[in-house]
Amino acid sequence: MSAEPLVVGVDYGTLSGRAVVVRVRDGAELGSAVTEYRHGVVDRELPATGRALPPEWALQVPSDYVDVLRTAVPAALADAGANPADVVGVATDFTACTMVPATVDGTPLCELPAFAENPHAYVKLWRHHAAQPQADRINELARARGEKWLPRYGGLISSEWEFAKGLEVFEEAPDVYAAMRHWVEAADWIVWQLTGTYVRNACTAGYKGILQDGQYPSRDFLRELAPGFESFVADKLDHPLGQLGSRAGSLTAEAAAWTGLPKGIAVAVGNVDAHVTAPAARAVEPGQLVAIMGTSTCHVLNGADLREVPGMCGVVDGGIVPGLWGYEAGQSGVGDIFGWFAEHFARESHDELTRLAARQEVGEHGLLALDWHSGNRSVLVDHDLSGALVGQTLATRAEDVYRALLEATAFGTRKIVETFTEAGIPITELIVAGGLTKNALLMQIYADVTNLPLSVVGSAQAPALGSAIHAAVAAGAYPDIRAAAEAMGSARSAVYQPVPAHVTAYDELYAEYTTLHDYFGRGANDVMHRLAARRRAVAKGRS
């Protein structure tokens, strides 16, 4: 039997990278492997010095990303029993906005002896939220000037994104800023390592880099924001764009040695983990909301028309598939909230907590939580907000709190769904991908809370499959992403249906959630901001 062409998708998550070997003909996943990042998330102390980091910091070490290429890709090939010569393309996706300050040749500044002890020289992970003050100033000035790009981002620019983090480096580490030639999305940095060529992907440029209608924020805006910062775009950020699914370059000899893949095969333009998942779910038409649920959740949706949606992460023409407007929203904390509670406050495992919580009727625990333990990405776009739990008594048990946290994240997703709908973008189906799909209780809660049929992506490694789909397009195996998604994507439709009695009960609890949401999140009581400011002041006093 003749060999069939294969592609490799590599998904870079928050804690690990995973590779999957996929058959081009039908998307069959033949093998996979996962590599945990050796340094994980650097949010307590800098590895080079042991010096404590301030609150809201989250860094990573870029060599961990290369380790994934060295280990996970060869292991996935071995797991598949695949002949590397049959692989025709490779593609990667990344968390975003995750930023690498680099030299002209792509060397991360943290790898230079002069900057090894400076935390600003390291990768700023998506959940690095210490740039909230800079984001607040960007938003205030943009509103005052009536900047036309601001409504494309729901009226608020996030502290997670390129400009806020870049301004933070400019103001707090001018030596790092001066040495930095490229302020690079990790999605593009890893492709640079594979091809030897820096290509900026159109997805992150639009969603995270405030590139709208071919223009970034103006020099005048940046000068007014911070004198000296006006050349940020020209000197650090602007770079030729690569379109999604196109070929960024060819695999270099060095990268071929790392991965065991053939030199010269196609390497696709970089992309974001959430956005590549939509084709993996065959969600390439309007109305299909894809929620990629892991440590956080990213929601992506295609729309036929341009709408300005309050509190959204952005809307980009062709941001997911060509020909449609791609919308993005998200929740900064989901699975990591469940993990935090299970690790620090419960004796039971996740499985046991879920089993006990599943025995309860809706509302039996008498609790209501806000899912802001990592701030709020949508629709409030405020990372100084924090989690809350109302209704505790001396009878409250661990499984009660656990279920309330599961429900809180579902309420957060419903808030996003309603905001899209009210803006004129109807949602007819919720499609879930990611490791949390294994929790049947959580999936049923989401169906009940949103009152939507819930479909599940058929792959356990949906972003990696999505990257593999883009690799197939970049290699010329399919004419476009839609065609590749139809042949290679996978989803199980309407696996969970809303239970009418649960929908009614959750409607009542959601009304209470909305009251808390607006009370703490829309200015009625700024106690969360005051507490965050106090925490920063104490930490600064200790440094």
Side-chain angles (χ1 to χ4, degrees):
M1 184 175 67
S2 60
E4 292 196 70
L6 308 174
V7 285
V8 172
V10 185
D11 167 44
Y12 283 92
T14 299
L15 299 173
S16 62
R18 54 208 54 82
V20 62
V21 179
V22 178
R23 190 164 58 206
V24 169
R25 171 169 55 87
D26 58 3
E29 297 173 40
L30 307 180
S32 64
V34 177
T35 296
E36 303 289 331
Y37 299 148
R38 184 162 62 92
H39 298 91
V41 177
V42 179
D43 57 2
R44 295 186 180 274
E45 59 182 38
L46 201 63
T49 64
R51 183 177 178 181
L53 292 170
E56 286 95 34
W57 277 66
L59 309 176
Q60 287 195 316
V61 178
S63 60
D64 289 350
Y65 306 148
V66 177
D67 287 345
V68 172
L69 300 177
R70 296 177 183 272
T71 57
V73 174
L77 290 168
D79 184 52
N83 181 351
D86 296 333
V87 178
V88 297
V90 60
T92 58
D93 65 80
F94 235 100
T95 62
C97 171
T98 295
M99 301 304 299
V100 186
T103 65
V104 68
D105 65 358
T107 301
L109 293 187
C110 64
E111 295 182 358
L112 301 178
F115 296 106
E117 298 184 3
N118 192 319
H120 285 285
Y122 285 74
V123 175
K124 291 196 172 181
L125 184 61
W126 65 268
R127 71 183 191 196
H128 174 90
H129 294 144
Q132 187 64 50
Q134 284 81 10
D136 291 341
R137 287 164 46 208
I138 291 171
N139 291 322
E140 290 166 7
L141 181 60
R143 282 192 292 268
R145 289 171 53 104
E147 294 290 339
K148 65 179 183 180
W149 43 262
L150 191 62
R152 297 277 182 97
Y153 300 95
L156 291 163
I157 300 301
S158 172
S159 65
E160 295 181 0
W161 297 352
E162 294 177 9
F163 277 74
K165 287 175 174 172
L167 181 58
E168 181 190 31
V169 176
F170 172 78
E171 295 182 329
E172 298 182 11
D175 54 339
V176 173
Y177 185 84
M180 177 177 74
R181 176 58 186 90
H182 295 293
W183 188 228
V184 188
E185 284 277 356
D188 299 326
W189 184 84
I190 201 65
V191 171
W192 196 349
Q193 307 315 298
L194 290 168
T195 64
T197 303
Y198 175 27
V199 178
R200 179 158 164 75
N201 77 84
C203 181
T204 55
Y207 289 105
K208 314 301 180 184
I210 320 183
L211 180 64
Q212 291 287 345
D213 301 324
Q215 294 182 324
Y216 293 98
S218 68
R219 288 179 63 92
D220 287 344
F221 174 84
L222 298 178
R223 183 185 296 111
E224 189 172 347
L225 184 65
F229 194 59
E230 60 268 17
S231 61
F232 172 65
V233 169
D235 292 350
K236 314 291 184 182
L237 195 65
D238 196 14
H239 203 76
L241 297 181
Q243 299 303 312
L244 304 185
S246 64
R247 183 173 181 145
S250 301
L251 194 70
T252 65
E254 181 181 32
W258 292 341
T259 59
L261 298 173
K263 175 187 174 183
I265 63 170
V267 179
V269 167
N271 209 329
V272 180
D273 48 4
H275 301 72
V276 297
T277 302
R282 292 179 177 154
V284 293
E285 300 301 333
Q288 298 174 294
L289 180 68
V290 181
I292 300 85
M293 296 178 62
T295 55
S296 64
T297 293
C298 190
H299 306 76
V300 294
L301 171 72
N302 287 299
D305 302 309
L306 174 62
R307 295 283 188 270
E308 294 175 355
V309 186
M312 293 300 99
C313 296
V315 53
V316 175
D317 188 6
I320 301 172
V321 294
L324 293 172
W325 290 93
Y327 293 85
E328 179 189 344
Q331 293 165 267
S332 294
V334 180
D336 55 359
I337 298 177
F338 313 150
W340 158 82
F341 178 75
E343 178 182 353
H344 295 290
F345 301 103
R347 297 177 181 177
E348 299 86 354
S349 67
H350 284 283
D351 288 343
E352 180 64 7
L353 288 167
T354 299
R355 185 186 71 81
L356 293 170
R359 293 161 54 180
Q360 299 182 5
E361 297 294 329
V362 176
E364 179 180 334
H365 51 51
L367 301 174
L368 187 64
L370 291 174
D371 53 316
W372 300 342
H373 297 64
S374 291
N376 180 284
R377 185 184 296 164
S378 299
V379 296
L380 300 173
V381 198
D382 186 346
H383 293 288
D384 274 350
L385 296 174
S386 49
L389 183 66
V390 176
Q392 294 180 94
T393 72
L394 294 178
T396 299
R397 299 162 297 177
E399 60 267 28
D400 301 335
V401 177
Y402 192 75
R403 179 168 180 133
L405 293 173
L406 300 183
E407 292 167 340
T409 66
F411 292 146
T413 286
R414 175 168 170 176
K415 184 65 65 178
I416 290 167
V417 169
E418 288 186 348
T419 304
F420 273 125
T421 302
E422 291 165 3
I425 305 170
I427 293 174
T428 57
E429 180 184 12
L430 178 61
I431 307 171
V432 177
L436 294 181
T437 58
K438 293 180 291 187
N439 189 318
L441 171 63
L442 182 65
M443 296 299 98
Q444 187 61 53
I445 288 172
Y446 270 65
D448 293 338
V449 167
T450 62
N451 196 20
L452 288 170
L454 192 150
S455 304
V456 177
V457 177
S459 170
Q461 306 287 1
L465 173 60
S467 280
I469 289 171
H470 284 74
V473 177
Y478 291 96
D480 54 42
I481 295 170
R482 276 193 176 85
E486 179 61 30
M488 300 175 68
S490 174
R492 293 178 288 135
S493 297
V495 176
Y496 298 90
Q497 290 285 348
V499 177
H502 296 174
V503 171
T504 300
Y506 275 129
D507 281 347
E508 296 174 1
L509 284 173
Y510 178 72
E512 303 290 357
Y513 173 90
T514 296
T515 298
L516 286 183
H517 176 280
D518 293 349
Y519 179 71
F520 287 112
R522 299 194 186 277
N525 189 330
D526 280 334
V527 62
M528 291 181 178
H529 295 98
R530 294 193 294 272
L531 291 173
R534 182 179 294 273
R535 184 175 69 244
R536 288 196 191 99
V538 171
K540 185 176 181 181
R542 287 177 176 172
S543 63

